PDB file of all heavy atoms in Angstrom:
ATOM      1  N   ILE T   1     -59.705  61.333 -10.922  1.00  0.00           N
ATOM      2  CA  ILE T   1     -60.347  62.635 -11.068  1.00  0.00           C
ATOM      3  C   ILE T   1     -60.321  63.306  -9.703  1.00  0.00           C
ATOM      4  O   ILE T   1     -60.774  62.730  -8.707  1.00  0.00           O
ATOM      5  CB  ILE T   1     -61.812  62.507 -11.549  1.00  0.00           C
ATOM      6  CG1 ILE T   1     -61.902  61.681 -12.840  1.00  0.00           C
ATOM      7  CG2 ILE T   1     -62.435  63.886 -11.720  1.00  0.00           C
ATOM      8  CD1 ILE T   1     -61.238  62.303 -14.039  1.00  0.00           C
ATOM      9  N   VAL T   2     -59.808  64.517  -9.641  1.00  0.00           N
ATOM     10  CA  VAL T   2     -59.728  65.240  -8.378  1.00  0.00           C
ATOM     11  C   VAL T   2     -60.882  66.224  -8.274  1.00  0.00           C
ATOM     12  O   VAL T   2     -61.072  67.082  -9.143  1.00  0.00           O
ATOM     13  CB  VAL T   2     -58.384  65.980  -8.258  1.00  0.00           C
ATOM     14  CG1 VAL T   2     -58.363  66.868  -7.007  1.00  0.00           C
ATOM     15  CG2 VAL T   2     -57.229  64.979  -8.211  1.00  0.00           C
ATOM     16  N   GLY T   3     -61.673  66.087  -7.210  1.00  0.00           N
ATOM     17  CA  GLY T   3     -62.796  66.976  -6.953  1.00  0.00           C
ATOM     18  C   GLY T   3     -64.039  66.205  -6.548  1.00  0.00           C
ATOM     19  O   GLY T   3     -64.066  64.971  -6.606  1.00  0.00           O
ATOM     20  N   GLY T   4     -65.064  66.923  -6.136  1.00  0.00           N
ATOM     21  CA  GLY T   4     -66.260  66.255  -5.652  1.00  0.00           C
ATOM     22  C   GLY T   4     -67.560  66.858  -6.131  1.00  0.00           C
ATOM     23  O   GLY T   4     -68.613  66.618  -5.536  1.00  0.00           O
ATOM     24  N   GLY T   5     -67.528  67.630  -7.221  1.00  0.00           N
ATOM     25  CA  GLY T   5     -68.724  68.310  -7.691  1.00  0.00           C
ATOM     26  C   GLY T   5     -69.335  67.682  -8.928  1.00  0.00           C
ATOM     27  O   GLY T   5     -68.963  66.582  -9.349  1.00  0.00           O
ATOM     28  N   GLY T   6     -70.266  68.431  -9.537  1.00  0.00           N
ATOM     29  CA  GLY T   6     -70.919  67.954 -10.746  1.00  0.00           C
ATOM     30  C   GLY T   6     -69.971  67.839 -11.923  1.00  0.00           C
ATOM     31  O   GLY T   6     -70.091  66.933 -12.742  1.00  0.00           O
ATOM     32  N   ARG T   7     -69.034  68.745 -12.017  1.00  0.00           N
ATOM     33  CA  ARG T   7     -68.018  68.683 -13.075  1.00  0.00           C
ATOM     34  C   ARG T   7     -67.233  67.383 -12.970  1.00  0.00           C
ATOM     35  O   ARG T   7     -66.983  66.698 -13.966  1.00  0.00           O
ATOM     36  CB  ARG T   7     -67.088  69.888 -12.931  1.00  0.00           C
ATOM     37  CG  ARG T   7     -65.787  69.802 -13.721  1.00  0.00           C
ATOM     38  CD  ARG T   7     -64.892  70.988 -13.414  1.00  0.00           C
ATOM     39  NE  ARG T   7     -64.732  71.172 -11.991  1.00  0.00           N
ATOM     40  CZ  ARG T   7     -64.763  72.363 -11.377  1.00  0.00           C
ATOM     41  NH1 ARG T   7     -64.910  73.468 -12.078  1.00  0.00           N
ATOM     42  NH2 ARG T   7     -64.629  72.447 -10.072  1.00  0.00           N
ATOM     43  N   GLU T   8     -66.857  67.004 -11.734  1.00  0.00           N
ATOM     44  CA  GLU T   8     -66.059  65.803 -11.546  1.00  0.00           C
ATOM     45  C   GLU T   8     -66.867  64.531 -11.787  1.00  0.00           C
ATOM     46  O   GLU T   8     -66.332  63.541 -12.297  1.00  0.00           O
ATOM     47  CB  GLU T   8     -65.459  65.806 -10.139  1.00  0.00           C
ATOM     48  CG  GLU T   8     -64.353  66.834  -9.966  1.00  0.00           C
ATOM     49  CD  GLU T   8     -64.867  68.261  -9.821  1.00  0.00           C
ATOM     50  OE1 GLU T   8     -65.947  68.447  -9.210  1.00  0.00           O
ATOM     51  OE2 GLU T   8     -64.202  69.185 -10.322  1.00  0.00           O
ATOM     52  N   HIS T   9     -68.160  64.548 -11.451  1.00  0.00           N
ATOM     53  CA  HIS T   9     -69.008  63.404 -11.780  1.00  0.00           C
ATOM     54  C   HIS T   9     -69.060  63.235 -13.298  1.00  0.00           C
ATOM     55  O   HIS T   9     -68.935  62.122 -13.822  1.00  0.00           O
ATOM     56  CB  HIS T   9     -70.416  63.587 -11.208  1.00  0.00           C
ATOM     57  CG  HIS T   9     -71.301  62.396 -11.383  1.00  0.00           C
ATOM     58  ND1 HIS T   9     -72.637  62.390 -11.011  1.00  0.00           N
ATOM     59  CD2 HIS T   9     -71.072  61.162 -11.902  1.00  0.00           C
ATOM     60  CE1 HIS T   9     -73.166  61.195 -11.284  1.00  0.00           C
ATOM     61  NE2 HIS T   9     -72.240  60.449 -11.841  1.00  0.00           N
ATOM     62  N   ALA T  10     -69.210  64.346 -14.024  1.00  0.00           N
ATOM     63  CA  ALA T  10     -69.252  64.271 -15.488  1.00  0.00           C
ATOM     64  C   ALA T  10     -67.924  63.785 -16.053  1.00  0.00           C
ATOM     65  O   ALA T  10     -67.893  62.971 -16.997  1.00  0.00           O
ATOM     66  CB  ALA T  10     -69.624  65.634 -16.076  1.00  0.00           C
ATOM     67  N   LEU T  11     -66.823  64.249 -15.506  1.00  0.00           N
ATOM     68  CA  LEU T  11     -65.503  63.788 -15.963  1.00  0.00           C
ATOM     69  C   LEU T  11     -65.339  62.288 -15.727  1.00  0.00           C
ATOM     70  O   LEU T  11     -64.871  61.555 -16.605  1.00  0.00           O
ATOM     71  CB  LEU T  11     -64.404  64.553 -15.230  1.00  0.00           C
ATOM     72  CG  LEU T  11     -64.091  65.968 -15.719  1.00  0.00           C
ATOM     73  CD1 LEU T  11     -63.266  66.724 -14.689  1.00  0.00           C
ATOM     74  CD2 LEU T  11     -63.384  65.940 -17.062  1.00  0.00           C
ATOM     75  N   ALA T  12     -65.718  61.832 -14.534  1.00  0.00           N
ATOM     76  CA  ALA T  12     -65.585  60.406 -14.220  1.00  0.00           C
ATOM     77  C   ALA T  12     -66.479  59.561 -15.118  1.00  0.00           C
ATOM     78  O   ALA T  12     -66.049  58.511 -15.629  1.00  0.00           O
ATOM     79  CB  ALA T  12     -65.937  60.170 -12.751  1.00  0.00           C
ATOM     80  N   TRP T  13     -67.701  59.997 -15.323  1.00  0.00           N
ATOM     81  CA  TRP T  13     -68.660  59.281 -16.180  1.00  0.00           C
ATOM     82  C   TRP T  13     -68.133  59.196 -17.612  1.00  0.00           C
ATOM     83  O   TRP T  13     -68.189  58.138 -18.240  1.00  0.00           O
ATOM     84  CB  TRP T  13     -70.003  60.010 -16.121  1.00  0.00           C
ATOM     85  CG  TRP T  13     -71.003  59.599 -17.141  1.00  0.00           C
ATOM     86  CD1 TRP T  13     -71.823  58.500 -17.114  1.00  0.00           C
ATOM     87  CD2 TRP T  13     -71.324  60.307 -18.351  1.00  0.00           C
ATOM     88  NE1 TRP T  13     -72.620  58.481 -18.232  1.00  0.00           N
ATOM     89  CE2 TRP T  13     -72.342  59.566 -19.007  1.00  0.00           C
ATOM     90  CE3 TRP T  13     -70.859  61.479 -18.946  1.00  0.00           C
ATOM     91  CZ2 TRP T  13     -72.886  59.980 -20.221  1.00  0.00           C
ATOM     92  CZ3 TRP T  13     -71.401  61.892 -20.145  1.00  0.00           C
ATOM     93  CH2 TRP T  13     -72.401  61.140 -20.773  1.00  0.00           C
ATOM     94  N   GLN T  14     -67.591  60.297 -18.119  1.00  0.00           N
ATOM     95  CA  GLN T  14     -67.099  60.314 -19.497  1.00  0.00           C
ATOM     96  C   GLN T  14     -65.881  59.416 -19.644  1.00  0.00           C
ATOM     97  O   GLN T  14     -65.779  58.634 -20.594  1.00  0.00           O
ATOM     98  CB  GLN T  14     -66.754  61.752 -19.898  1.00  0.00           C
ATOM     99  CG  GLN T  14     -66.983  62.087 -21.376  1.00  0.00           C
ATOM    100  CD  GLN T  14     -65.917  61.511 -22.298  1.00  0.00           C
ATOM    101  OE1 GLN T  14     -64.809  61.209 -21.877  1.00  0.00           O
ATOM    102  NE2 GLN T  14     -66.246  61.366 -23.571  1.00  0.00           N
ATOM    103  N   CYS T  15     -64.941  59.490 -18.698  1.00  0.00           N
ATOM    104  CA  CYS T  15     -63.735  58.659 -18.786  1.00  0.00           C
ATOM    105  C   CYS T  15     -64.060  57.179 -18.624  1.00  0.00           C
ATOM    106  O   CYS T  15     -63.482  56.326 -19.311  1.00  0.00           O
ATOM    107  CB  CYS T  15     -62.718  59.096 -17.729  1.00  0.00           C
ATOM    108  SG  CYS T  15     -61.945  60.704 -18.061  1.00  0.00           S
ATOM    109  N   ALA T  16     -64.982  56.851 -17.717  1.00  0.00           N
ATOM    110  CA  ALA T  16     -65.327  55.451 -17.470  1.00  0.00           C
ATOM    111  C   ALA T  16     -65.993  54.804 -18.677  1.00  0.00           C
ATOM    112  O   ALA T  16     -65.982  53.573 -18.808  1.00  0.00           O
ATOM    113  CB  ALA T  16     -66.233  55.338 -16.248  1.00  0.00           C
ATOM    114  N   ALA T  17     -66.565  55.607 -19.561  1.00  0.00           N
ATOM    115  CA  ALA T  17     -67.239  55.061 -20.742  1.00  0.00           C
ATOM    116  C   ALA T  17     -66.255  54.486 -21.760  1.00  0.00           C
ATOM    117  O   ALA T  17     -66.650  53.720 -22.647  1.00  0.00           O
ATOM    118  CB  ALA T  17     -68.098  56.142 -21.398  1.00  0.00           C
ATOM    119  N   ALA T  18     -64.976  54.845 -21.651  1.00  0.00           N
ATOM    120  CA  ALA T  18     -63.979  54.366 -22.617  1.00  0.00           C
ATOM    121  C   ALA T  18     -63.614  52.917 -22.314  1.00  0.00           C
ATOM    122  O   ALA T  18     -63.346  52.551 -21.169  1.00  0.00           O
ATOM    123  CB  ALA T  18     -62.729  55.245 -22.550  1.00  0.00           C
ATOM    124  N   ALA T  19     -63.564  52.091 -23.350  1.00  0.00           N
ATOM    125  CA  ALA T  19     -63.282  50.663 -23.177  1.00  0.00           C
ATOM    126  C   ALA T  19     -61.906  50.435 -22.578  1.00  0.00           C
ATOM    127  O   ALA T  19     -61.697  49.494 -21.813  1.00  0.00           O
ATOM    128  CB  ALA T  19     -63.400  49.944 -24.513  1.00  0.00           C
ATOM    129  N   ARG T  20     -60.935  51.293 -22.885  1.00  0.00           N
ATOM    130  CA  ARG T  20     -59.568  51.073 -22.408  1.00  0.00           C
ATOM    131  C   ARG T  20     -59.377  51.466 -20.947  1.00  0.00           C
ATOM    132  O   ARG T  20     -58.339  51.197 -20.364  1.00  0.00           O
ATOM    133  CB  ARG T  20     -58.581  51.842 -23.284  1.00  0.00           C
ATOM    134  CG  ARG T  20     -58.609  53.344 -23.072  1.00  0.00           C
ATOM    135  CD  ARG T  20     -57.602  54.012 -23.990  1.00  0.00           C
ATOM    136  NE  ARG T  20     -57.403  55.417 -23.626  1.00  0.00           N
ATOM    137  CZ  ARG T  20     -56.230  56.022 -23.618  1.00  0.00           C
ATOM    138  NH1 ARG T  20     -55.137  55.361 -23.942  1.00  0.00           N
ATOM    139  NH2 ARG T  20     -56.124  57.286 -23.304  1.00  0.00           N
ATOM    140  N   VAL T  21     -60.375  52.118 -20.359  1.00  0.00           N
ATOM    141  CA  VAL T  21     -60.287  52.544 -18.966  1.00  0.00           C
ATOM    142  C   VAL T  21     -60.854  51.449 -18.075  1.00  0.00           C
ATOM    143  O   VAL T  21     -62.021  51.071 -18.203  1.00  0.00           O
ATOM    144  CB  VAL T  21     -61.035  53.871 -18.738  1.00  0.00           C
ATOM    145  CG1 VAL T  21     -61.073  54.222 -17.257  1.00  0.00           C
ATOM    146  CG2 VAL T  21     -60.379  54.987 -19.544  1.00  0.00           C
ATOM    147  N   SER T  22     -60.008  50.921 -17.177  1.00  0.00           N
ATOM    148  CA  SER T  22     -60.454  49.843 -16.289  1.00  0.00           C
ATOM    149  C   SER T  22     -61.158  50.371 -15.049  1.00  0.00           C
ATOM    150  O   SER T  22     -62.110  49.758 -14.554  1.00  0.00           O
ATOM    151  CB  SER T  22     -59.256  48.990 -15.864  1.00  0.00           C
ATOM    152  OG  SER T  22     -58.283  49.796 -15.203  1.00  0.00           O
ATOM    153  N   GLU T  23     -60.699  51.518 -14.535  1.00  0.00           N
ATOM    154  CA  GLU T  23     -61.297  52.070 -13.324  1.00  0.00           C
ATOM    155  C   GLU T  23     -60.999  53.556 -13.233  1.00  0.00           C
ATOM    156  O   GLU T  23     -59.951  54.026 -13.679  1.00  0.00           O
ATOM    157  CB  GLU T  23     -60.757  51.355 -12.077  1.00  0.00           C
ATOM    158  CG  GLU T  23     -61.464  51.758 -10.791  1.00  0.00           C
ATOM    159  CD  GLU T  23     -60.959  50.998  -9.576  1.00  0.00           C
ATOM    160  OE1 GLU T  23     -59.759  50.631  -9.551  1.00  0.00           O
ATOM    161  OE2 GLU T  23     -61.750  50.781  -8.636  1.00  0.00           O
ATOM    162  N   VAL T  24     -61.956  54.295 -12.655  1.00  0.00           N
ATOM    163  CA  VAL T  24     -61.779  55.726 -12.398  1.00  0.00           C
ATOM    164  C   VAL T  24     -61.946  55.952 -10.904  1.00  0.00           C
ATOM    165  O   VAL T  24     -62.961  55.565 -10.315  1.00  0.00           O
ATOM    166  CB  VAL T  24     -62.801  56.575 -13.176  1.00  0.00           C
ATOM    167  CG1 VAL T  24     -62.615  58.054 -12.855  1.00  0.00           C
ATOM    168  CG2 VAL T  24     -62.680  56.340 -14.680  1.00  0.00           C
ATOM    169  N   LEU T  25     -60.936  56.548 -10.276  1.00  0.00           N
ATOM    170  CA  LEU T  25     -61.048  56.966  -8.885  1.00  0.00           C
ATOM    171  C   LEU T  25     -61.409  58.445  -8.842  1.00  0.00           C
ATOM    172  O   LEU T  25     -60.952  59.221  -9.694  1.00  0.00           O
ATOM    173  CB  LEU T  25     -59.729  56.734  -8.136  1.00  0.00           C
ATOM    174  CG  LEU T  25     -59.503  55.341  -7.538  1.00  0.00           C
ATOM    175  CD1 LEU T  25     -59.363  54.297  -8.628  1.00  0.00           C
ATOM    176  CD2 LEU T  25     -58.274  55.346  -6.630  1.00  0.00           C
ATOM    177  N   VAL T  26     -62.222  58.828  -7.879  1.00  0.00           N
ATOM    178  CA  VAL T  26     -62.593  60.234  -7.707  1.00  0.00           C
ATOM    179  C   VAL T  26     -62.305  60.620  -6.256  1.00  0.00           C
ATOM    180  O   VAL T  26     -62.752  59.956  -5.329  1.00  0.00           O
ATOM    181  CB  VAL T  26     -64.078  60.480  -8.030  1.00  0.00           C
ATOM    182  CG1 VAL T  26     -64.370  61.982  -8.039  1.00  0.00           C
ATOM    183  CG2 VAL T  26     -64.462  59.872  -9.372  1.00  0.00           C
ATOM    184  N   ALA T  27     -61.535  61.690  -6.084  1.00  0.00           N
ATOM    185  CA  ALA T  27     -61.162  62.133  -4.740  1.00  0.00           C
ATOM    186  C   ALA T  27     -61.625  63.575  -4.514  1.00  0.00           C
ATOM    187  O   ALA T  27     -61.121  64.475  -5.177  1.00  0.00           O
ATOM    188  CB  ALA T  27     -59.640  62.039  -4.575  1.00  0.00           C
ATOM    189  N   PRO T  28     -62.626  63.812  -3.629  1.00  0.00           N
ATOM    190  CA  PRO T  28     -63.278  62.809  -2.784  1.00  0.00           C
ATOM    191  C   PRO T  28     -64.541  62.200  -3.394  1.00  0.00           C
ATOM    192  O   PRO T  28     -65.055  61.227  -2.865  1.00  0.00           O
ATOM    193  CB  PRO T  28     -63.631  63.620  -1.536  1.00  0.00           C
ATOM    194  CG  PRO T  28     -63.942  64.986  -2.064  1.00  0.00           C
ATOM    195  CD  PRO T  28     -62.973  65.193  -3.214  1.00  0.00           C
ATOM    196  N   GLY T  29     -65.060  62.796  -4.479  1.00  0.00           N
ATOM    197  CA  GLY T  29     -66.272  62.273  -5.091  1.00  0.00           C
ATOM    198  C   GLY T  29     -67.527  62.645  -4.323  1.00  0.00           C
ATOM    199  O   GLY T  29     -67.508  63.466  -3.402  1.00  0.00           O
ATOM    200  N   ASN T  30     -68.652  62.038  -4.706  1.00  0.00           N
ATOM    201  CA  ASN T  30     -69.948  62.319  -4.080  1.00  0.00           C
ATOM    202  C   ASN T  30     -70.829  61.072  -4.220  1.00  0.00           C
ATOM    203  O   ASN T  30     -70.346  60.009  -4.634  1.00  0.00           O
ATOM    204  CB  ASN T  30     -70.593  63.556  -4.716  1.00  0.00           C
ATOM    205  CG  ASN T  30     -70.706  63.457  -6.237  1.00  0.00           C
ATOM    206  OD1 ASN T  30     -71.084  62.419  -6.779  1.00  0.00           O
ATOM    207  ND2 ASN T  30     -70.384  64.544  -6.934  1.00  0.00           N
TER     208      ASN T  30
END
């Protein structure tokens, strides 16, 4: 996930909830 705001936190949280997703990187994140 590219970005470091609230939108990107929500994107990372939603993607990480999927069983098939092993890891989510966020650049730069918060």
Side-chain angles (χ1 to χ4, degrees):
I1 306 295
V2 174
R7 166 185 51 222
E8 288 76 35
H9 186 184
L11 281 165
W13 168 80
Q14 213 284 338
C15 289
R20 72 180 192 139
V21 173
S22 58
E23 187 178 31
V24 178
L25 274 67
V26 188
N30 54 44

